[in-house]
Amino acid sequence: MEPQEAAVEGTTLSQYLLNVARERVNSLEGEVRHSVPDTLFAKRGGQDGVLDLVTLLQSIKLAIKSVGSLVRSAGIPGSGVTVPQERGKEGDIANGSRLLCQELNAHANQIWINALLYSQRSCVLVSEELPDPVIVQEDMQGKYAVVFDPLTGLSDPPAQNMGAIFGIFRQLSGGNPGIVDVMQPARNLVAAGYALYGACTVLMFSAGYGAQQFVLDTSLNEFILTEPNVTLPYSGAIYSINEGYAAEYDSETQEMLKCLKAEPAMDGRSRTCRYIGSMVADIHRTFKKGGIFMYPPHQRGFPNGRLKLLYEAGPMAYLVSQAGGQASTGTEHIIDIVPDSIHTRVPVFLGSEDDVNFATGFYNKKAPWGRSDQDPMFMLRRTLSREEKKRELPKSNTPRASDVVDDGIIAFHIG
Ligand code: FBP
């Protein structure tokens, strides 16, 4: 049985992880052991390696559930997270909300750090909330480096579409763990995911076998698999960007936005804009409905874009690739970029293949369509190219994770 076949709707996250792990061990034992792609477990670790990663993921699951319940009760007197009255300016709701967010953020970070340390399966931790990596003390070390943003989307008041993002790398160095273990491109991730604390808690996850969606069943307090093979539509009608910065985007971005709005989506629908201001929520909608999420550079404080490569853009790029979509900075695949520091920021264009190709064509002269203002054939070539693509599309209109193995998209961890 292929690992993807272990993904059956209704399975719990714990069962799913063990199923995939077991299938991987079986395939190792049954086939030529050293030539089988190594994804879910340590190369030399065999069964133990599988269980190490499963144990680490169980701790992450616990952190997500704990933060989720904090988010839901934050601000309620007597709950774990409140703002001491003397710190908020009386009557200033915005200030109170900002302080509450800070409290929540600090709690969420501590919950993740504790969960990862006590799993005893990690060696280096990078959190958005900490300036430096945490090197786990020797007697608690495992072989995985974990990067995470414990609570994102805090530009909105609490309890509105916050989320968490994480990625897991295998330790690179054989010896003492260090920063080098996280300076890897997202292509090297062995697993990644995001949690969205919305009306329900959703977990989007991948360990290299496509993307799966789980929803927290609060009566069981367990994540249940609801979508075994999440696939991004090839094209969509929704674009997601903070248009408040329109005047501060560079000329390519402004031109791209103008053209995007002027032209209908591939299926003829008019474009529509949605922007929540929480990347997890905006990207989750993109997974479901297709289209594009963008955070380009702008001159109101973020000349390289706002989102961080290691623990925001990278894991999202890995997930979106596993679901048949694309993620680019405009000129490079995000999944291939080696970070030059742990908090490096990158521009992000992520979502349906057709829409990402369209947007990035304005930045990259090597992209198929060139820039509209320099190329009078721009619209014509774009239309022709899309017509060809339409004819090629399978009936489902979406590439399946299993279809892209030959492109090397799934086979990240070989060799
Ligand atoms: P932080 O880097 O401060 O965590 O902000 C991240 C974020 O909240 C994303 O989740 C979201 O997409 C973006 O910032 C919104 O930024 P803006 O308010 O500039 O549109």
Side-chain angles (χ1 to χ4, degrees):
M1 180 164 70
E2 287 300 307
Q4 294 95 310
E5 290 170 32
V8 180
E9 236 170 89
T11 308
T12 64
L13 177 60
S14 308
Q15 286 165 339
Y16 170 74
L17 293 173
L18 287 169
N19 278 344
V20 175
R22 195 190 56 224
E23 294 310 324
R24 294 296 300 130
V25 169
N26 287 346
S27 70
L28 261 197
E29 279 164 1
E31 298 168 30
V32 191
R33 205 168 174 122
H34 53 270
S35 69
V36 174
D38 172 43
T39 55
L40 197 62
F41 49 96
K43 230 167 200 147
R44 291 169 297 278
Q47 180 91 38
D48 290 347
V50 175
L51 294 179
D52 278 351
L53 187 53
V54 171
T55 305
L56 182 66
L57 286 163
Q58 297 286 15
S59 298
I60 289 177
K61 183 178 82 172
L62 189 62
I64 289 172
K65 289 200 286 194
S66 310
V67 174
S69 66
L70 263 194
V71 164
R72 290 184 200 293
S73 61
I76 299 174
S79 74
V81 185
T82 49
V83 178
Q85 250 179 10
E86 63 279 9
R87 288 184 56 206
K89 218 164 65 191
E90 216 179 318
D92 183 345
I93 292 170
N95 191 41
S97 163
R98 190 176 52 78
L99 292 172
L100 188 59
C101 285
Q102 282 172 7
E103 289 283 316
L104 253 180
N105 225 356
H107 275 74
N109 187 50
Q110 203 51 55
I111 287 172
W112 273 76
I113 297 275
N114 290 349
L116 292 167
L117 287 181
Y118 290 109
S119 76
Q120 305 199 24
R121 301 298 187 277
S122 60
C123 54
V124 183
L125 309 178
V126 169
S127 165
E128 198 208 14
E129 300 309 314
L130 302 173
D132 300 309
V134 173
I135 309 297
V136 178
Q137 67 182 59
E138 206 173 334
D139 58 342
M140 292 180 91
Q141 274 173 16
K143 47 174 111 45
Y144 294 100
V146 185
V147 294
F148 57 98
D149 184 347
L151 202 54
T152 183
L154 286 161
S155 31
D156 274 340
Q160 278 185 27
N161 297 300
M162 292 182 190
I165 309 168
F166 66 92
I168 303 173
F169 293 106
R170 182 157 317 111
Q171 185 188 4
L172 265 186
S173 52
N176 290 339
I179 193 168
V180 63
D181 294 310
V182 290
M183 301 310 247
Q184 305 191 48
R187 186 176 286 284
N188 288 2
L189 287 166
V190 292
Y194 66 75
L196 174 60
Y197 304 119
C200 57
T201 300
V202 173
L203 172 67
M204 191 68 80
F205 175 74
S206 177
Y209 300 110
Q212 288 79 39
Q213 178 186 277
F214 296 82
V215 173
L216 184 64
D217 179 333
T218 48
S219 64
L220 301 173
N221 203 19
E222 183 53 279
F223 282 100
I224 307 293
L225 184 59
T226 53
E227 281 191 42
N229 188 16
V230 176
T231 44
L232 256 147
Y234 176 74
S235 147
I238 299 176
Y239 70 97
S240 184
I241 186 170
N242 190 337
E243 288 211 84
Y245 303 132
E248 277 113 336
Y249 291 134
D250 58 26
S251 57
E252 285 88 349
T253 307
Q254 292 186 10
E255 177 67 11
M256 180 266 293
L257 278 175
K258 207 167 81 191
C259 293
L260 190 69
K261 287 188 262 192
E263 197 192 353
M266 193 181 212
D267 62 4
R269 275 181 298 165
S270 313
R271 302 264 181 200
T272 186
C273 178
R274 297 276 185 276
Y275 189 73
I276 295 166
S278 160
M279 79 178 291
V280 172
D282 282 314
I283 290 176
H284 187 65
R285 183 199 51 251
T286 309
F287 264 93
K288 297 289 144 148
K289 301 204 158 188
I292 184 166
F293 166 79
M294 302 176 267
Y295 203 108
H298 60 77
Q299 295 311 318
R300 213 188 290 173
F302 295 106
N304 295 320
R306 179 169 185 160
L307 306 176
K308 319 281 185 14
L309 173 61
L310 199 52
Y311 41 79
E312 291 180 325
M316 288 300 195
Y318 174 88
L319 284 168
V320 96
S321 305
Q322 290 286 331
Q326 285 200 8
S328 168
T329 61
T331 52
E332 283 174 278
H333 290 299
I334 290 175
I335 207 151
D336 289 327
I337 304 175
V338 180
D340 53 16
S341 82
I342 59 169
H343 298 299
T344 296
R345 297 176 195 268
V346 287
V348 172
F349 299 86
L350 171 155
S352 295
E353 187 181 332
D354 182 59
D355 301 274
V356 174
N357 277 340
F358 173 75
T360 56
F362 289 81
Y363 302 92
N364 185 350
K365 297 200 174 91
K366 284 188 222 127
W369 301 299
R371 290 179 49 195
S372 58
D373 57 348
Q374 291 174 1
D375 183 354
M377 296 297 281
F378 173 76
M379 282 303 182
L380 178 61
R381 276 193 280 139
R382 174 165 159 67
T383 309
L384 290 176
S385 171
R386 294 170 121 215
E387 285 306 318
E388 275 161 26
K389 203 77 201 179
K390 258 192 213 167
R391 281 197 293 277
E392 281 169 19
L393 283 180
K395 232 179 174 174
S396 73
N397 209 30
T398 50
R400 293 158 54 82
S402 52
D403 294 337
V404 291
V405 172
D406 288 340
D407 295 333
I409 297 174
I410 295 292
F412 291 148
H413 314 295
I414 299 177

